[in-house]
């Protein structure tokens, strides 16, 4: 199977994680993967039901978002994904949802404070807020890239909009999308009845380093 | 297949979206579709389990709510659907649920403020509240129509009752029912820990226009 | 099929509604049905996984809770169900859960106020609170019966414990268990951000009467 | 089947209860079982998807956490499980999740007060908080053991981290993980709109004793 064919399968199946964890409603939300070394990306088509997102429905664009392969129009967030791939060469995957708890923090423009070991592990500190940006040009992409450059977090909460997440590949970006909602929710609950203590920054560093180096297979 | 047979299938399958997204409990909630050019509508029967809502269970009424075809009594909200079709000729579908977050805003009689790009996209501004109205005559239908005429929103939060949504067809009405609950929930969460900024009305207009013209296939 | 065999099937399948709507965790919760004219009831066994609750797992007891048929020990709430059947002859089914929102109102000892048309329809007014009662004798049953006698509601919120619901048959009792959680949740959400207006008692009466006489098939 | 083979099956299937009840996201969370009399335990591998957790994926370690059998690296929480087995000989199973409501109490460092009969039944009183502890040595295990020794509760809320639960076998530990989230959620809801009364300690004792001796088969 070619790299593109393989990535069509991967990206299609990762969209099922968005519905499994309740991160998306109707046709909102999207995942993409960079095609390594090819100047291309594989992304979800615009406005198609999650039930119909098989590998063949995925579309391929160049890194300016121009359609290269596929019969459907690409996601309306394609320009933002493309901007990220052009400016962050280490990123191999991008995910975007309007998951409810993360989007509530985004609506208030408040970073999610690092009060859980899971936040230290996966995000390495507070989860930052990006600017309000209109769709239609490079504003969203620029807001994502500028915010992520100042942070270890693979997630940014775009103001009044929702989370965008990145990773070394599409699976890592989707993992960050799942975990940003998980911790956004738990910290929301914690704040409803009090104010949890932040984890000491030195402990955050140790947890973050260990999770990168020891966790998993 | 005749237009009515086709719409029986469509309306039956759209009821599955209400359960998929957790918008309804037991037998509450209903979807209808106008039969174009026929002065008829296809609607859910009253008080039947969602497990039993196949195409044959749907009923056909005229636009005064009188039964034309089908063995079951039509939804107890039939008069409200019929009133909407009689007074809003551009509407081809109506949906009604008691989805919990939207109904909580309805219980307080508070519009959902336009603090998310998704609200600007789909609803074009704040989501309005309709009056308290008793079932049994045209009060509910009249409250829906009068409220929607003053708004770009396809959703109205009927006071102490729940959301009604409309669309060019039944699928669009159900989409609005799914999204009104999604944004009602996210804005509820946002308000629990602060007050999100409203989106600038000029930005709302641009988002709304773009979503109508660019999004989807 | 005998009446008992039929009710074993019905009661077993109604337990699936408790898990479908998320009303129960692990083995908590139970449904029973009176065997008409026989001085018997069919009830869930104690501490058995919901995956294993087929018709054969159900047990039959007399109306003092003594085992008559079945290989498993009856639900630890059998005495409460039996007390209800002995003292409320119009009741044909009883359900009990610890569904989270209804139990939260029960924990605070606050009735759920009638601020939704769905509450007026199904419960005919506020949903009342019963006393704190220990398991092991007739205290819980007596608390249920005394509270329900002062109300049109088929649901009582037993203090620090959870809801018990009754109905003309087991299906109606389970319906009330589903709807009490639904409205407990929506009114909880409404109260988190304000205080909804109560529905005028005259309107409550009209809604309640209509729902009894017009709704359904 | 050998005891180890049997426990691989049991532990694998118990992980499905964690996903069924929404206690875990992605690959977080883990269950283990002591192999009776063998100085060994069966535990989940690290960072493996819940879809892939069949019996063969489980790993066997000694009670210092050293791998004895299996092709995958054991859970990153293995040291904590091992510490519990070395110091609490009556414990046959351990479970750990980041379930959202229990973790919110843990983030604030607040015990869950005994305001529900279900808490009295299963936990015998307030559910206690353990210390903040870094992963990588015996700190987490020590915090769990010291906290549980001062309580009848099979659950401890590890500060800024999440719940650990124990039981006579792995199934009992998972049951406690399910129920600690259930009651954490209900008491969270109760506290959002008021302060529920605590249950009288004498009543707690009677409920706890009865649940141990009468409930179940």
């Amino acid at each position: 199977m070619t790299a593109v064919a393989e990535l069509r399968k991967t990206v299609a199946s990762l969209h099922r994680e968005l519905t499994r964890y309740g991160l998306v409603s109707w046709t909102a939300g999207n995942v993409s993967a960079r095609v390594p070394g090819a100047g291309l990306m594989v992304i979800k088509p615009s406005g198609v039901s999650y039930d119909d997102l098989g590998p063949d429905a995925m579309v391929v664009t160049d890194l300016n978002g121009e359609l290269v392969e596929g019969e459907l129009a690409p996601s309306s967030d394609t320009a933002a994904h493309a901007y990220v791939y052009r400016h962050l060469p280490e990123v191999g995957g991008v995910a975007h949802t309007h998951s409810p708890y993360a989007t509530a923090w985004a609506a208030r423009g408040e970073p999610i404070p690092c009060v859980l070991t899971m936040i230290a592990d996966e995000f390495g500190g507070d989860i930052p807020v990006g600017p309000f940006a209109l769709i239609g040009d490079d504003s969203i992409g620029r807001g994502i890239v500028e915010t992520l450059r100042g942070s270890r977090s693979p997630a940014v909460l775009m103001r009044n909009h929702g989370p965008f997440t990145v990773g070394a590949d599409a699976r890592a970006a989707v993992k960050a999308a799942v975990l940003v909602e998980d911790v956004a929710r738990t910290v929301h609950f914690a704040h409803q009845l009090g104010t949890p203590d932040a984890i000491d920054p030195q402990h955050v560093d140790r947890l973050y380093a260990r999770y990168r180096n020891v966790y998993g297979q």
Side-chain angles (χ1 to χ4, degrees), chain A residues 30 43-47 73-81 135-136 140:
Chain A
N30 38 73
I43 192 165
K44 171 174 168 282
S46 181
S75 164
S76 66
D77 292 306
T78 298
H81 291 243
I135 201 167
I140 294 177

Side-chain angles (χ1 to χ4, degrees), chain A residues 92-104:
Chain A
V94 177
H96 170 50
T97 78
H98 301 145
S99 63
Y101 289 99
T103 301

Side-chain angles (χ1 to χ4, degrees), chain A residues 5 7 32 43 61 70 83 87 93 135 143 145 163 172 176 216-217:
Chain A
L7 285 171
S32 71
I43 192 165
T61 72
Y83 189 96
H87 291 84
I135 201 167
V145 167
Q217 298 298 325

Side-chain angles (χ1 to χ4, degrees), chain A residues 108-195:
Chain A
R108 289 193 308 272
E110 281 184 50
I112 301 172
C114 188
V115 299
L116 299 173
T117 55
M118 191 195 264
I119 302 179
D121 286 348
E122 173 72 13
F123 300 95
D126 294 357
I127 301 171
V129 173
F132 178 79
L134 283 182
I135 201 167
D137 60 16
D138 278 346
S139 305
I140 294 177
R142 204 162 50 231
I144 296 168
V145 167
E146 285 172 7
T147 309
L148 292 181
R149 277 190 177 142
S151 168
R152 292 193 291 211
S153 167
V156 48
L157 308 171
M158 291 298 285
R159 199 156 181 144
N160 299 100
H161 186 168
F164 283 80
T165 57
V166 300
D169 57 20
R171 184 169 186 79
V174 170
K175 179 189 182 189
V178 170
L179 296 187
V180 75
E181 180 64 7
D182 191 289
V183 300
R185 182 177 56 175
T186 299
V187 181
H188 181 91
F189 294 161
H191 276 251
Q192 288 185 303
L193 297 175
T195 306

Side-chain angles (χ1 to χ4, degrees), chain A residues 3 14-15 28 49 58 78 93 118 125 142 150 194 213 215:
Chain A
L14 285 167
H15 281 93
S49 165
M58 298 296 123
T78 298
M118 191 195 264
R142 204 162 50 231
N213 299 321
Y215 189 80

Side-chain angles (χ1 to χ4, degrees), chain A residues 83-95:
Chain A
Y83 189 96
V84 171
Y85 290 123
R86 290 203 307 278
H87 291 84
L88 297 176
E90 72 279 16
V91 168
V94 177

